[in-house]
Amino acid sequence: MEIYLLITLAFIYFLTVILLPQKRQRQIWTTAYIVSFIITAISIGYIKIYADETLMKVGELNWYYILYIFGSISIILGLINLWMYKSGLINLFRNSKDDEA
């Protein structure tokens, strides 16, 4: 299933490159990143808080420990990146003229 998702996102990316101006592309893909970042943070928090009520038992959750660690690291790195590029993100979504730069 992941390969189909990768192929679909690559196809949509190439369509946006062909059909949309560069600023609109950046807005779409930055918004997609932020939304997926928020969903990842919520899902990791849900797994951490409600581990005993999910379909997995706590013993089976240990198998996902590395995945959980890297998910947590990606959340922290995502927050750092959003903080570092906050002025660029604000300018990306604030300026109304469609500029190719």
Side-chain angles (χ1 to χ4, degrees), residues 9-53:
L9 286 176
F11 179 70
I12 293 171
Y13 175 75
F14 287 124
L15 282 178
T16 58
V17 167
I18 294 169
L19 299 174
L20 297 175
Q22 187 176 13
K23 181 172 180 164
R24 184 65 58 180
Q25 293 169 31
R26 289 180 181 172
Q27 288 175 338
I28 289 171
W29 290 102
T30 303
T31 303
Y33 167 73
I34 291 171
V35 168
S36 67
F37 173 77
I38 291 170
I39 291 171
T40 302
I42 291 171
S43 64
I44 287 177
Y46 180 80
I47 288 174
K48 182 68 175 168
I49 293 170
Y50 299 107
D52 56 341
E53 297 176 13

Side-chain angles (χ1 to χ4, degrees), residues 36-94:
S36 67
F37 173 77
I38 291 170
I39 291 171
T40 302
I42 291 171
S43 64
I44 287 177
Y46 180 80
I47 288 174
K48 182 68 175 168
I49 293 170
Y50 299 107
D52 56 341
E53 297 176 13
T54 58
L55 294 175
M56 295 182 287
K57 297 178 182 172
V58 176
E60 295 172 355
L61 194 61
N62 290 333
W63 188 83
Y64 292 100
Y65 182 72
I66 293 175
L67 191 64
Y68 176 77
I69 291 295
F70 282 105
S72 300
I73 290 171
S74 71
I75 290 173
I76 294 167
L77 292 175
L79 287 174
I80 291 170
N81 280 317
L82 289 175
W83 179 258
M84 285 175 30
Y85 298 112
K86 67 180 181 249
S87 63
L89 289 173
I90 291 170
N91 290 335
L92 177 66
F93 291 106
R94 183 176 289 172

Side-chain angles (χ1 to χ4, degrees), residues 1-12:
M1 180 169 160
E2 291 84 7
I3 192 75
Y4 296 128
L5 183 62
L6 179 66
I7 291 169
T8 304
L9 286 176
F11 179 70
I12 293 171

